[in-house]
Amino acid sequence: MRFSGFRVLREGLTGNRGWAPHWRDPEPKSDYDVVIVGGGGHGLATAFYLAKEHGITNVAVLEKGYLGGGNVGRNTTIVRANYFLPGNSEFYSHSLKLWEGMEEELNFNVMHSQRGLINLFHSDGQRDAFARRGNAMVNQGDDAILLDREGVRKLLPYLDFENTRFPIYGGLYHPRGGTARHDAVAWGYARGADARGVDLIQNCEVTGIDVEQGRVTGVQTTRGAIRAKKVAIVVAGRSSQVAAMAGLRLPIESHVLQAFVTEGLKPVIDHVVSFGMGHFYISQSDKGGLVFGGDLDFYASYAARGNLPMVEHVMEAGMTLMPMIGKAKVLRSWGGIMDMTPDGSPIIDRAPVAGLYLNCGWCYGGFKAVPGSGFSFAHLIATDRHHPPAARYRLDRFATGRGLMDEEGTGAQHNLH
Amino acid sequence: MRLRCPLCGERDRREFTYKGAAVALDRPATEAWSADWDDYLHNRANPAGETRDLWQHAAGCGAWLVVTRDTVTHSIADVRLARGEGTA
Amino acid sequence: MSPCAGLLPLRSGTVRLAEVDPGRITSLMPGPGQAAALDRALSETHGLGWPAPGQAILSQRGGVVWTGLDQAMLMGPAPDPALARHAALTDQSDAWAVADLSGGDGPEVLARLVPVDLRPQAFAEGATARTLLGHMTASITRTGPETLRIMVFRSMARTLVHDLHAAMDAVAARRGLDAGGPPR
């Protein structure tokens, strides 16, 4: 089933009776070439690119709940390529290019909106750091414009420019940054993978990973045993538990990150605005709600809800940046479980068990990585070689100390990112 | 979340600073690099359920605490002074 | 010049905030296993003692206020040299802003800023707490039936007065009293 303007018009005139489900609901087979554990954005994108780029279609995606029910369905939807360090820079650049072709590639409207992202700075030192970051982005082939105070005022006139503690000196403008409809991304990849023959199996929890003589042979699930030549773990938020089934201990601590949405308002915020000094960022959804968040609650948690002190902190930061926000009513808040690595960068690598692959550690930045992560992970699974843009996301970089990617410069230690 | 500091009594989460898994109390005996050091510094059991971790009552008495709690329910089972715990 | 010079005293509703001259402030940190010996030395030299966590030992001439794990402040007198045999002593006289909040609504005022129950039934005379006051760390001690002694770092004096003043006015407004209202 293809979407087109003509099709929408025809269905509209004939009572919308011609639409079919977007994917099948197959029974698991006993044997697959590749089993992907985790039916979130990254897992579904991996399945899609395995089929599309590598012709590997005897693939199952096993999902404990429903497709896209985890972090891809509950995030603040920001898409950007404004990283600084080699390793991250080329990866997110590649991912953003995939975003830009995604709707055509998937024939699916993911509401990708390149409304521009502005990172504010508040001191001369920060201006230097952002100028340097902007140069790194331009060198990578992406876009970055350093705005002075008046440049920011032109785009974001509603900010408090006179704040004594955080006077706005300017901002780093990344016009190709923006937002997307989060669960549509999962649905689009699911639909594309299914159409190419991948089995998407929901309500199927993996309970064990079978390893014989150092080689993975399949998985145990709540819907029976499934044999597989290769098993890929893509379960950010639960990576430690699933990896433990294969006897692995990962360099990951799970933390909760909260986000908030207000009631729907008329268009007021046209961009994504990031106020790093206040640990606050905000955009406005197409539905009108202000979508914003802050920093981690900063303790290990799987509770999918945070604590009030961080709620207060985020609200205070919002009021500091744009006092008018105090008039808006918060509709709901939620907490997502983040795979936090010691250096704040992800892992896409082979596990120390043959035939087992790991994709985890996305910290609080996994959404924008969905296409790039799926593409690079599929490449690794299919060819057993690292895809160049993701070649530095190695599992052993913590043990060796080589190739750490610590964007914040705080050190490769848990609880600092 | 509220923690019962052994010195100060039950206090608000705001007064405490989180360090991480209590594995930090058990420093490897040898100085040379080994898999034990990688485990000590980086790798974590990261349980969904009961865990032992280190907090400091930073805005209170300053004591380091070993907290036994549930990462899924946020219920607190035990709080004790880190002094005298572990090998470090 | 004292830390709160030009800022205090203040009065609002039924409470008064006034700066206190604490005399000498000396931090006492006993060496390992030295707490009992320090307790005896404090008793012999100053007529005081080593306080239990959350307690202050108060006297006319000053007192010893518990301020954390293995730490208390000797307030008032210069420390007797004998104390140094059992503890590390550090002069902190210029490091703290000290003020007394007095009046029956004191706990009401601090309830707006401090996450600890400071009402007399929960926080009796001689009780002390290290906690937060707004965004500042503070030491708070009940020195009398209607008096709470507040200590923050000296550099925070203006913030302390500002935050307390706003809380005092808010409580006074709740009571239908004038901010800066009637003398008692």
Side-chain angles (χ1 to χ4, degrees):
Chain A
M1 183 180 72
R2 280 195 64 77
F3 287 106
S4 66
F6 173 72
R7 179 76 189 267
V8 169
L9 191 67
R10 197 185 70 195
E11 290 291 341
L13 293 172
T14 57
N16 283 311
R17 283 190 294 268
W19 301 115
H22 283 314
W23 49 82
R24 298 164 294 129
D25 185 20
E27 284 298 312
K29 296 190 290 188
S30 62
D31 222 302
Y32 288 95
D33 290 339
V34 179
V35 159
I36 296 171
V37 186
H42 291 247
L44 293 166
T46 303
F48 174 80
Y49 289 114
L50 268 177
K52 178 168 182 276
E53 301 294 323
H54 305 281
I56 299 173
T57 57
N58 185 24
V59 175
V61 176
L62 308 183
E63 168 55 45
K64 177 170 74 168
Y66 58 93
L67 297 183
N71 286 342
V72 76
R74 55 189 83 221
N75 60 72
T76 47
T77 79
I78 293 164
V79 176
R80 57 186 167 92
N82 60 350
Y83 281 70
F84 175 61
L85 294 178
N88 282 329
S89 194
E90 61 265 35
F91 174 82
Y92 288 102
S93 180
H94 177 243
S95 194
L96 182 56
K97 289 189 185 86
L98 290 173
W99 274 104
E100 288 168 334
M102 186 189 293
E103 294 183 344
E104 260 182 84
E105 185 170 35
L106 299 176
N107 176 234
F108 200 77
N109 181 10
V110 300
M111 298 167 71
H112 182 212
S113 159
Q114 293 186 290
R115 56 188 64 183
L117 177 147
I118 298 158
N119 281 87
L120 299 170
F121 51 79
H122 312 272
S123 68
D124 291 328
Q126 254 200 314
R127 187 204 327 264
D128 292 349
F130 273 111
R132 196 166 165 230
R133 176 177 295 264
N135 287 335
M137 290 159 66
V138 170
N139 283 342
Q140 180 55 45
D142 294 317
D143 60 333
I145 301 165
L146 198 69
L147 300 176
D148 62 9
R149 182 186 170 92
E150 289 315 305
V152 173
R153 199 194 294 274
K154 217 167 153 183
L155 295 176
L156 314 173
Y158 47 81
L159 300 184
D160 180 1
F161 285 80
E162 312 306 327
N163 186 285
T164 315
R165 179 66 184 85
F166 297 114
I168 293 169
Y169 276 40
L172 185 64
Y173 183 31
H174 174 40
R176 282 165 65 224
T179 60
R181 170 71 201 274
H182 46 7
D183 25 32
V185 179
W187 299 335
Y189 277 120
R191 181 171 169 274
D194 174 86
R196 285 167 172 78
V198 172
D199 283 353
L200 307 177
I201 300 165
Q202 307 184 63
N203 298 311
C204 181
E205 181 174 357
V206 169
T207 55
I209 295 175
D210 300 329
V211 180
E212 286 171 22
Q213 292 167 346
R215 178 159 200 97
V216 74
T217 57
V219 293
Q220 301 291 324
T221 79
T222 50
R223 296 175 68 175
I226 300 174
R227 295 185 66 77
K229 296 187 181 69
K230 295 179 175 180
V231 172
I233 299 175
V234 206
V235 292
R238 290 280 173 171
S239 299
S240 298
Q241 280 73 48
V242 178
M245 294 175 193
L248 304 179
R249 256 163 74 91
L250 298 180
I252 285 177
E253 224 176 50
S254 295
H255 282 253
V256 61
L257 179 72
Q258 301 192 66
F260 310 85
V261 181
T262 70
E263 61 193 336
L265 302 169
K266 288 186 176 180
V268 53
I269 296 174
D270 300 327
H271 308 81
V272 180
V273 183
S274 177
F275 171 35
M277 290 303 283
H279 300 291
F280 178 84
Y281 62 95
I282 189 166
S283 67
Q284 187 168 21
S285 78
D286 291 348
K287 218 159 57 176
L290 304 183
V291 182
F292 58 95
D295 213 338
L296 298 174
D297 272 44
F298 273 119
Y299 50 87
S301 171
Y302 288 87
R305 61 185 159 77
N307 255 298
L308 283 170
M310 187 51 71
V311 177
E312 187 179 13
H313 178 85
V314 170
M315 302 298 162
E316 282 181 357
M319 292 285 289
T320 302
L321 182 66
M322 44 179 86
M324 68 174 184
I325 200 177
K327 299 283 185 193
K329 292 181 180 64
V330 172
L331 209 57
R332 62 181 181 275
S333 70
W334 70 97
I337 306 306
M338 311 291 118
D339 270 14
M340 298 304 299
T341 58
D343 67 353
S345 293
I347 295 162
I348 299 179
D349 204 353
R350 287 179 288 258
V353 175
L356 188 64
Y357 301 83
L358 285 173
N359 179 324
C360 57
W362 290 97
C363 299
Y364 29 71
F367 180 69
K368 62 186 169 293
V370 163
S373 161
F375 196 98
S376 294
F377 198 35
H379 182 98
L380 177 70
I381 296 165
T383 66
D384 264 314
R385 284 197 304 275
H386 286 282
H387 187 228
R392 298 197 189 213
Y393 289 155
R394 296 173 61 107
L395 176 63
D396 66 1
R397 66 179 185 269
F398 305 104
T400 63
R402 280 193 295 273
L404 295 167
M405 278 159 287
D406 169 15
E407 288 275 336
E408 293 175 1
T410 50
Q413 187 183 316
H414 283 293
N415 203 29
L416 294 180
H417 293 273
Chain B
M1 195 191 301
R2 290 169 73 80
L3 298 177
R4 184 174 294 280
C5 171
L7 299 182
C8 303
E10 193 177 80
R11 291 293 179 89
D12 196 291
R13 183 257 176 274
R14 274 173 288 182
E15 296 191 4
F16 298 90
T17 304
Y18 182 70
K19 165 67 180 168
V23 64
L25 290 171
D26 298 313
R27 189 183 163 95
T30 57
E31 290 298 311
W33 179 260
S34 66
D36 287 349
W37 274 99
D38 187 29
D39 251 16
Y40 172 72
L41 291 170
H42 307 124
N43 299 326
R44 296 289 178 261
N46 194 27
E50 188 173 285
T51 191
R52 266 175 94 234
D53 46 22
L54 290 175
W55 297 69
Q56 189 190 17
H57 193 186
C61 61
W64 280 95
L65 308 172
V66 180
V67 178
T68 306
R69 66 187 179 97
D70 192 300
T71 56
V72 176
T73 63
H74 288 176
S75 69
I76 312 289
D78 184 58
V79 184
R80 58 182 65 194
L81 292 179
R83 172 182 290 179
E85 302 279 317
T87 55
Chain C
M1 199 160 73
S2 69
C4 299
L7 302 172
L8 294 178
L10 279 175
R11 181 185 288 275
S12 186
T14 65
V15 289
R16 183 169 188 273
L17 183 65
E19 182 162 26
V20 173
D21 175 1
R24 282 281 283 273
I25 304 178
T26 308
S27 74
L28 311 175
M29 298 189 76
Q34 292 288 304
L38 180 62
D39 181 53
R40 279 192 302 275
L42 278 163
S43 170
E44 286 160 13
T45 54
H46 294 284
L48 297 164
W50 178 248
Q55 293 298 312
I57 297 170
L58 302 169
S59 73
Q60 286 302 96
R61 291 189 54 230
V64 182
V65 178
W66 178 88
T67 51
L69 178 68
D70 293 342
Q71 188 193 63
M73 299 287 172
L74 174 63
M75 313 284 293
D80 190 283
L83 299 180
R85 283 208 294 277
H86 310 291
L89 313 184
T90 312
D91 187 356
Q92 300 204 12
S93 306
D94 291 327
W96 297 87
V98 188
D100 274 357
L101 185 69
S102 48
D105 276 340
E108 285 292 315
V109 169
L110 288 180
R112 290 167 179 259
L113 296 164
V114 178
V116 174
D117 186 350
L118 298 174
R119 295 172 302 165
Q121 59 268 43
F123 196 72
E125 215 170 311
T128 190
R130 282 305 296 272
T131 182
L132 289 168
L133 193 154
H135 288 198
M136 295 170 284
T137 59
S139 160
I140 301 172
T141 307
R142 180 173 289 285
T143 57
E146 292 202 344
T147 306
L148 291 161
R149 180 157 297 175
I150 302 167
M151 292 172 53
V152 300
F153 300 141
R154 182 191 182 108
S155 59
M156 302 283 164
R158 188 174 289 272
T159 306
L160 174 74
V161 171
H162 173 269
D163 287 2
L164 282 174
H165 196 185
M168 289 161 70
D169 283 355
V171 169
R174 272 286 166 102
R175 296 271 189 260
L177 300 171
D178 286 342
R184 298 178 71 210

